[in-house]
Amino acid sequence: MAKTIESTVLITLGPGMEAPAGTLYATGDDLSFRYDSTYTISSDSFDLFPSMPRSLAPFFFSGLGPFSDSAPDRWGRKVFSRSLKRTRVSESEYLFGVNDLTRQGAIRFIVDGKPAAGDEGVPVLSKLPELLDTADAVEQNREVSDVSLRRLYRATGSLGGARPKASVSDRNALWLAKFPKPNGDDWDVIGWEAVTLEIANMAGIKVPEHRVIAIKDSEERSRTVLLTHRFDRVSAPSVERMERLPYISAMTALEARDGDGGDWLDLAEFTRRAGGDTIELWRRAMFGAAIGNTDDHLRNHGYLRKNNSWQLAPAFDMNPEPFDPSLPDSHQMSLLGDTEVDIDKLMSDESLSLFGVSRKYADHWLPTLRSALSQALSRAAMRRIDMHSINLMAERFDKAVHALQ
């Protein structure tokens, strides 16, 4: 029989303010949670998740439920199960196996008076070549030392997505390092993601601070790594002293499950109720439709708790796809039930009303979007992206610019 683990759940309520929100009981793949009575009546407290309004009644989950944002996603699970040398890992093991310092958001788990999985430090930027080599070994299913696997997992933790990645510390801040795949991609995915962040920022979309660096792997190959600032942390003299910002994914916000594509209608309604910026959300939908960002599932959108409301987190994981005239863009995020989301549909009266965007504002912003998109190929050349990768995306951006004229 699986052992039940009892954990105090801590949450950040503001700068220098951390409080116990309640107690989590985990048994294998099943969880239950009960708010602390003091927390429920505190004027500074808030519902940890939309699906868990403050009360004294317990909540039960088969699986991690809304706590999944605090646990590893596909890449992290792959590394963790490899480090344990097991294919069967319980949900509670995944949850409590995350390094306390790199765990996503502001929720912390305290077991027997100590942070779950400890706080064994965060690799510094100079350790990236070693982390990349270990990530390559995991991707290629090669032998790698237990020490290297544990070090990579401590850096990976609850970071989402399937692409190899890790957290590193640099310049008194925490950064997410996104690695290229060991056998290469069909195009320079990392380079294009960096360019996408640049042109999204030019179009007035909030993105995290980011930069691209080149490192040498064990075979002396030059590899491109994208570094993005962890927006769920506030920089401090040390990683241990960083303020943690509460974060929920759109999947958690909409009480959905992994694999649920979601609809812009539901996301706009939640954003409006939570006090967020629905016009910014519309800009992101328009930008994603223009570049063919079809991997726009609910985990790739998120919210930060600021000023007593859930505000849109900076945009992340936006990637262009080569244009294929024989296939319409089928997005994971639908628009009023339609997965073929394009600029014309987002500019319809019905869509503008959904996002609370006036026709005057939409027409005024379109030249800004067009200008940003028209500079994508030249920005890619400035980033020294190879010509094959640039040519592969040329038709996508040409089509987007023409659609906005």
Side-chain angles (χ1 to χ4, degrees), residues 99-315:
N99 182 358
D100 182 64
L101 289 176
T102 61
R103 189 185 298 277
Q104 185 171 255
I107 288 179
R108 302 176 65 205
F109 301 96
I110 307 300
V111 179
D112 296 329
K114 298 179 181 179
D119 50 3
E120 302 175 26
V122 180
V124 295
L125 190 65
S126 61
K127 296 295 183 181
L128 273 181
E130 179 184 340
L131 294 171
L132 174 60
D133 288 335
T134 305
D136 285 349
V138 172
E139 283 283 87
Q140 296 172 326
N141 202 28
R142 292 189 281 106
E143 287 296 320
V144 63
S145 73
D146 293 343
V147 172
S148 294
L149 276 172
R150 287 195 296 271
R151 186 173 294 122
L152 176 62
Y153 184 68
R154 286 201 304 272
T156 301
S158 55
L159 301 177
R163 179 167 288 275
K165 58 181 67 67
S167 284
V168 293
S169 61
D170 183 54
R171 304 179 184 177
N172 297 328
L174 199 59
W175 299 79
L176 184 156
K178 189 172 287 190
F179 301 136
K181 291 185 176 180
N183 297 323
D185 296 290
D186 293 334
W187 62 88
D188 187 351
V189 174
I190 297 296
W192 264 116
E193 183 170 350
V195 170
T196 300
L197 288 172
E198 290 178 6
I199 60 175
N201 184 57
M202 292 163 60
I205 294 169
K206 296 177 183 177
V207 300
E209 181 184 351
H210 60 279
R211 67 189 200 270
V212 172
I213 62 174
I215 61 176
K216 296 280 188 178
D217 63 15
S218 58
E219 298 178 8
E220 291 300 307
R221 295 179 298 173
S222 180
R223 309 278 292 280
T224 301
V225 176
L226 173 64
L227 293 173
T228 57
H229 184 263
R230 284 278 301 269
F231 50 68
D232 60 342
R233 296 291 191 274
V234 177
S235 299
S238 68
V239 173
E240 292 79 7
R241 293 170 58 185
M242 288 181 186
E243 178 190 344
R244 303 166 189 247
L245 301 179
Y247 172 85
I248 57 173
S249 67
M251 183 183 75
T252 296
L254 298 184
E255 302 178 37
R257 297 181 179 181
D258 262 323
D260 292 348
D263 196 290
W264 287 107
L265 167 65
D266 300 318
L267 208 54
E269 287 184 349
F270 174 84
T271 303
R272 185 178 294 107
R273 291 197 313 269
D277 186 350
T278 57
I279 297 178
E280 165 78 0
L281 190 67
W282 175 78
R283 288 197 295 264
R284 297 183 189 189
M286 284 283 288
F287 185 80
I291 69 171
N293 179 37
T294 56
D295 190 34
D296 51 357
H297 55 79
L298 291 174
R299 275 194 182 270
N300 282 348
H301 305 271
Y303 298 85
L304 292 171
R305 185 80 182 177
K306 293 183 177 180
N307 301 322
N308 298 318
S309 64
W310 288 107
Q311 303 288 332
L312 283 169

Side-chain angles (χ1 to χ4, degrees), residues 14-35:
M17 294 175 60
E18 192 175 60
T23 304
L24 183 72
Y25 302 91
T27 307
D29 293 336
D30 299 321
L31 302 182
S32 65
F33 175 82
R34 187 188 294 270
Y35 279 111

Side-chain angles (χ1 to χ4, degrees), residues 336 345-356 359:
L336 301 172
K345 292 173 183 175
L346 285 162
M347 284 293 293
S348 70
D349 290 340
E350 185 178 20
S351 292
L352 293 179
S353 176
L354 162 68
F355 289 96
R359 174 66 59 182

Side-chain angles (χ1 to χ4, degrees), residues 365-387:
W365 181 71
L366 287 187
T368 299
L369 176 60
R370 184 171 61 247
S371 175
L373 294 172
S374 68
Q375 298 180 62
L377 301 181
S378 60
R379 298 295 298 181
M382 291 172 62
R383 283 286 183 191
R384 303 187 187 283
I385 292 178
D386 64 276
M387 285 308 301

